[in-house]
Amino acid sequence: MSGPNRHVVRDADELDLVSADLVGETINANPTARIVAATGRTPMGLYATLAGRRRDDTLDTSGITIYQLDEYLGLEPDDGRSLFGWMRRSVLEPLDVPEERVRRLPLEGDLDAGCTAFDAELDGRGPLDLAILGLGLNGHLGFNEPPSDAASGTRVVQLSPMTIQANSDYWGPDAGVPAAAVTMGMHHLLSARRIVLLVSGAGKHAIVRRALEGPVGPDVPASFLQQATGDVQVVVDRAAWGEG
């Protein structure tokens, strides 16, 4: 096991291009790739770059399937804070992924049973081909808040005050961030055949170093990337890595 492969890039433009090359390489090698796609600000340029390549006919996304990574609980379907709505606008529509090739997280009814069924479907189809992830300030992947171990499954989680504060930047101070969510578990993220982790900004310097160079354990869930069996590619800008 060689550990994560690190790409330290100059700025957001280079981060978008390098990560788009990695994602495009995966899709070109497997046109029916099963992909989990994070929301958040950092991957937005990646998705815009991929959409441009699709329009230019240099990337064929007609066969991919997109899995939802995480979602708040307690929101109406048309709520502007919905992470699925964000994913629809930034990923599904620009990449022309129809509803039948989207796998959504369970949000209603018996959530424990729904999460178990969601994981059973994932297990039945084998490892995800690609996980596109961001890094939380406390080391979370998706909403796998610390402590989260490497075997954790899809489940309901309570969001930490740090995550609620960070996410309030997306919606504004008066919008409110739900305190509970559903997240795909660490097990399926870590078992993906390729993981592309995007990290940007000086505010992520301490946590990306802990994740990639510190002890491995549930207090920094992203540290388990050091032990992932697939191809882990980390695209991090100089501000986050601490160079330049």
Side-chain angles (χ1 to χ4, degrees), residues 65-79:
T65 297
I66 299 292
Y67 285 75
Q68 189 177 11
L69 174 61
D70 46 25
E71 180 60 284
Y72 300 120
L73 284 175
L75 300 182
E76 295 297 324
D78 60 350
D79 194 298

Side-chain angles (χ1 to χ4, degrees), residues 73 104-119 154-156 182:
L73 284 175
R104 298 186 65 170
L105 291 164
L107 298 175
E108 298 179 349
D110 186 335
L111 293 181
D112 288 341
C115 289
T116 298
F118 186 86
D119 280 348
T154 301
R155 66 203 186 282
V156 175
V182 176

Side-chain angles (χ1 to χ4, degrees), residues 47-48 50-52 54-55 61 87-97:
Y47 300 139
L50 294 174
R54 186 193 70 81
R55 291 192 299 269
T61 58
M87 187 174 77
R88 183 179 62 243
R89 295 186 297 271
S90 62
V91 181
L92 304 181
E93 292 175 354
L95 297 184
D96 196 24
V97 180

Side-chain angles (χ1 to χ4, degrees), residues 72 140 143 145 157-164 167 177-181:
Y72 300 120
H140 70 230
F143 278 145
E145 299 276 47
V157 295
Q158 298 299 312
L159 301 181
S160 70
M162 179 181 289
T163 296
I164 291 172
N167 286 15
V177 177

Side-chain angles (χ1 to χ4, degrees), residues 24-90:
E25 180 180 73
T26 300
I27 296 172
N28 288 333
N30 181 4
T32 60
R34 297 161 55 241
I35 300 169
V36 61
T39 52
R41 289 197 181 98
T42 304
M44 291 302 105
L46 159 64
Y47 300 139
T49 302
L50 294 174
R53 294 181 183 184
R54 186 193 70 81
R55 291 192 299 269
D56 294 341
D57 293 324
T58 57
L59 180 69
D60 181 5
T61 58
S62 63
I64 65 173
T65 297
I66 299 292
Y67 285 75
Q68 189 177 11
L69 174 61
D70 46 25
E71 180 60 284
Y72 300 120
L73 284 175
L75 300 182
E76 295 297 324
D78 60 350
D79 194 298
R81 295 166 294 176
S82 166
L83 297 181
F84 180 79
W86 192 348
M87 187 174 77
R88 183 179 62 243
R89 295 186 297 271
S90 62

